[in-house]
């Protein structure tokens, strides 16, 4: 879980601003704390819902993108994997305060699986400094926001068609699992693209004040 120092291709992310402790054990503990904090942030924002046409916006995907960008690719993916596992273990961290192993049988569980990849992608872009400017951040975060659908819609088809035998067409699956969420996804990517660069601007201001 320990994250190596930034390389020429990997720029530091917001989590790297935190003073890194000396020693492997302390560094590992810091990374573990960041991963758990990321999972907790997703659990909290998963319960937030804002009314919007055609479907409400939940804070879950926004949290996934922000956590991925703030922690970086590997820590972000680990945070979302942790979130998924504690939800499957029974803690009420999924939307509407749900959580159990039975979630695997839900058509929407594929989106939770996809969150792991989404956090990784958001972190990958952040590690290449795309999160410093709003327009670049928006492009990267839109790409990250698309990942859950790549996993979630096939999983939905597996449960609805393969398990329940509903025989829905591809278009019907898209109507249920993609089209209603496009507006919300764009809005959340835009919010994240405002928050993360603003946080970096604050970091630069603090660094300048110390000089």
């Amino acid at each position: 879980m320990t994250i190596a120092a930034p390389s020429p291709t990997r720029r530091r992310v917001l989590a790297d601003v935190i003073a890194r402790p000396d020693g492997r054990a302390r560094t590992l503990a810091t990374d573990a704390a960041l991963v758990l904090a990321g999972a907790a942030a997703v659990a909290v924002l998963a319960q937030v819902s804002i009314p919007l046409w055609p479907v409400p916006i939940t804070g879950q995907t926004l949290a996934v993108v922000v956590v991925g960008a703030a922690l970086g690719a590997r820590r972000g993916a680990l945070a979302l994997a942790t979130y998924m596992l504690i939800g499957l273990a029974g803690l009420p961290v999924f939307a509407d305060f749900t959580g159990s192993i039975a979630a695997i049988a839900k058509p929407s569980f594929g989106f939770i699986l996809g969150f792991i990849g989404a956090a990784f992608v958001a972190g990958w872009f952040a590690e290449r400094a795309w999160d410093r400017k709003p327009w670049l951040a928006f492009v990267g975060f839109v790409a990250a926001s698309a990942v859950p659908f790549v996993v979630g819609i096939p999983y939905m088809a597996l449960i609805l068609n393969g398990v329940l035998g509903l025989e829905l067409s591809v278009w019907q699956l898209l109507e249920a699992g993609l089209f209603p969420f496009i507006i919300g996804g764009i809005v959340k990517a835009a919010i994240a693209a405002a928050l993360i660069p603003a946080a970096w601007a604050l970091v630069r201001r603090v660094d300048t004040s110390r000089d």
Side-chain angles (χ1 to χ4, degrees):
M1 190 182 296
T2 303
I3 307 301
S7 67
T9 57
R10 182 190 181 277
R11 304 283 292 277
R12 67 175 186 164
V13 296
L14 284 172
D16 295 324
V17 175
I18 299 174
R20 307 301 295 171
D22 294 329
R24 181 178 177 82
R26 291 184 179 180
T27 301
L28 182 62
T30 300
D31 287 336
L34 289 169
V35 166
L36 290 174
V42 176
V44 170
L45 286 181
Q47 315 312 324
V48 175
S49 180
I50 301 173
L52 185 72
W53 183 90
V55 294
I57 289 181
T58 64
Q60 200 169 29
T61 309
L62 173 61
V64 169
V65 171
V66 170
V67 165
L71 299 188
R74 286 183 284 180
R75 281 180 300 212
L78 282 170
L80 269 298
T82 301
Y83 168 76
M84 180 187 71
L85 290 174
I86 61 178
L88 292 177
L91 292 181
V93 296
F94 298 153
D96 298 323
F97 295 101
T98 59
S100 76
I101 191 66
I104 292 176
K106 293 183 178 181
S108 60
F109 183 72
F111 293 96
I112 295 176
L113 280 172
F115 288 159
I116 300 172
F120 185 91
V121 171
W124 188 90
F125 280 111
E127 289 171 0
R128 283 145 186 83
W130 281 47
D131 62 336
R132 313 295 177 91
K133 296 181 179 180
W135 71 273
L136 276 176
F138 178 72
V139 172
F141 295 161
V142 166
S145 299
V147 174
F149 297 100
V150 174
V151 180
I153 293 175
Y155 193 96
M156 179 184 295
L158 173 66
I159 298 298
L160 294 179
N161 290 347
V163 177
L164 300 180
L166 297 184
E167 298 184 356
L168 298 178
S169 67
V170 172
W171 184 260
Q172 288 173 315
L173 290 167
L174 293 177
E175 284 183 321
L178 174 62
F179 298 152
F181 304 100
I182 292 175
I183 294 176
I186 293 173
V187 170
K188 284 182 277 190
I191 293 173
L195 290 176
I196 298 297
W200 273 115
L202 179 60
V203 168
R204 289 191 293 270
R205 186 176 302 173
V206 171
D207 287 344
T208 302
S209 67
R210 289 176 178 174
D211 293 338

